Amino acid sequence: MNNIKTILSIKDLENLSGIKAHTIRIWEKRYNLLEPLRTDTNIRTYDVSALTKLLNVTLLLNHGYKISKISQHNSEQIANLVKEITTKINSNSHAVSAFKRSMMEFDQSLFFRTYDELLAQKSFREVFYQVFIPLIEEIGLLWQTNTILPAHEHFISYLIKQKILVNTAQIQTNQPTKTDTVFVLYLPMHEIHELGIMYLNYEILSLGYQSIFLGESLPVENLKEFTQIFEHVTFLSYFTVEPNPDELDDYMTNIGNNILTPNSSFWVTGRLASKINPNHHNQQIKVFSSIAEIINEIS
């Protein structure tokens, strides 16, 4: 259990809740809202239950409650108020908050309950765009600030992958209705962040195209095979942490010179895609700023 982050700093609470550390300190002093633990050097630390309470408080604040009134309730009463709100209104922010709690507490049941509540009101596509994408983006920021550990990211990512796979399985046996191109989806070597490319696979299949999903860490040389099998191929990749920025230019040159044929193209999105030299942008190589932009291009 040493690798699981159960003790949080006040900066962690700020990153996870969006409430400034200065404000949290004021609420502690004025309203006794949280009861931090203290290290031998008198530094505040918090457990996961304090995070859960603060996330619930944040939701109540966002729905018009005053902190002076909230502070008069204990943690259980605050949680009940949150339940009352979420049964009356559709709240994407509540879902993101609940998924973060699920991640921090490694609570699989909370993830499934929250997802099922969303799916009762929304399509899977709406859940992904309105909730999962903001959640994934926030997880990226939490990772960068060392607020969460790899265990947290892996836990929540696996659960989201499950939902993508279930929805993909429902449509992947359908015969393609569009034949102008075959999409080949993959991630470059050492790239393991596959949620985005997995969802794109789902969308492409939904739109009636043949999609060949190759997954993570594929040597670029393997792509050559597909231009020999299919007449028109669109390669699609998602660059999050790979290729290394210093090697990105060589990678794209290799794609253009050794992989692409006159009847093939290469599409890419992701955080690192924005760093691709504009000289590589042409009719065959297209860089997209988001998943939604790719879907708009296809449809």
Side-chain angles (χ1 to χ4, degrees):
M1 293 292 290
N2 291 335
N3 291 329
I4 296 178
K5 194 170 186 176
T6 57
I7 301 300
L8 306 168
S9 68
I10 195 167
K11 189 64 178 178
D12 291 335
L13 292 191
E14 177 181 306
N15 291 335
L16 285 159
S17 69
I19 304 297
K20 294 294 184 183
H22 174 69
T23 302
I24 295 173
R25 292 189 189 98
I26 291 175
W27 289 352
E28 287 176 5
K29 185 175 181 180
R30 185 176 300 172
Y31 303 111
N32 198 30
L33 188 70
L34 301 177
E35 297 180 4
L37 306 172
R38 297 279 182 170
T39 66
D40 294 339
T41 54
N42 205 35
I43 296 175
R44 288 176 174 84
T45 61
Y46 303 83
D47 59 18
V48 174
S49 65
L51 169 64
T52 298
K53 184 176 183 180
L54 186 59
L55 289 172
N56 283 336
V57 168
T58 303
L59 184 136
L60 293 178
L61 288 170
N62 291 337
H63 288 90
Y65 283 76
K66 302 296 184 183
I67 188 62
S68 57
K69 296 294 184 182
I70 297 173
S71 64
Q72 295 173 11
H73 297 82
N74 61 33
S75 296
E76 184 178 356
Q77 291 169 329
I78 290 173
N80 288 334
L81 286 173
V82 168
K83 289 179 182 178
E84 290 177 13
I85 288 176
T86 55
T87 57
K88 294 177 182 178
I89 63 172
N90 173 24
S91 175
N92 293 335
S93 60
H94 163 68
V96 171
S97 178
F99 284 137
K100 284 193 291 184
R101 281 178 48 209
S102 166
M103 176 181 67
M104 296 304 298
E105 299 173 22
F106 298 97
D107 188 339
Q108 183 171 285
S109 296
L110 176 57
F111 178 93
F112 289 132
R113 287 199 308 273
T114 305
Y115 178 80
D116 289 343
E117 289 169 4
L118 285 171
L119 211 59
Q121 305 173 24
K122 303 173 182 289
S123 67
F124 173 68
R125 180 176 287 106
E126 289 172 327
V127 171
F128 194 88
Y129 277 109
Q130 297 174 18
V131 181
F132 281 158
I133 286 181
L135 176 67
I136 292 166
E137 290 173 348
E138 191 160 345
I139 288 172
L141 294 173
L142 296 173
W143 170 268
Q144 291 174 17
T145 57
N146 294 318
T147 303
I148 62 174
L149 298 173
H152 294 116
E153 182 187 17
H154 291 182
F155 173 80
I156 200 73
S157 295
Y158 176 71
L159 293 176
I160 296 173
K161 285 178 186 178
Q162 282 186 321
K163 296 308 178 186
I164 298 174
L165 288 171
V166 166
N167 283 273
T168 301
Q170 293 174 356
I171 60 172
Q172 65 186 163
T173 57
N174 297 340
Q175 287 297 314
T177 58
K178 299 176 181 177
T179 58
D180 53 297
T181 190
V182 172
F183 285 90
V184 176
L185 283 65
Y186 82 100
L187 296 178
M189 289 297 295
H190 311 302
E191 176 63 80
I192 60 172
H193 297 82
E194 59 181 352
L195 290 179
I197 202 78
M198 288 177 66
Y199 181 74
L200 279 166
N201 183 50
Y202 163 80
E203 285 281 15
I204 290 167
L205 290 169
S206 298
L207 291 168
Y209 285 93
Q210 180 178 355
S211 178
I212 300 172
F213 185 83
L214 303 177
E216 61 187 59
S217 284
L218 186 81
V220 70
E221 293 78 15
N222 286 192
L223 300 179
K224 190 80 174 171
E225 180 79 8
F226 295 94
T227 59
Q228 299 170 8
I229 298 174
F230 301 103
E231 184 177 358
H232 297 279
V233 181
T234 300
F235 297 106
L236 179 53
S237 194
Y238 204 110
F239 295 174
T240 301
V241 296
E242 293 289 342
N244 186 296
D246 294 335
E247 301 170 356
L248 194 54
D249 193 59
D250 289 341
Y251 189 93
M252 296 307 299
T253 298
N254 187 20
I255 290 286
N257 292 344
N258 300 317
I259 303 300
L260 294 182
T261 65
N263 291 330
S264 62
S265 57
F266 183 85
W267 294 4
V268 62
T269 189
R271 184 174 61 85
L272 282 181
S274 62
K275 299 183 182 297
I276 294 175
N277 190 322
N279 291 334
H280 291 292
H281 299 199
N282 53 52
Q283 288 187 336
Q284 286 187 279
I285 297 178
K286 292 185 179 181
V287 177
F288 296 85
S289 61
S290 66
I291 289 174
E293 189 176 339
I294 290 178
I295 301 308
N296 288 337
E297 178 78 10
I298 298 173
S299 57

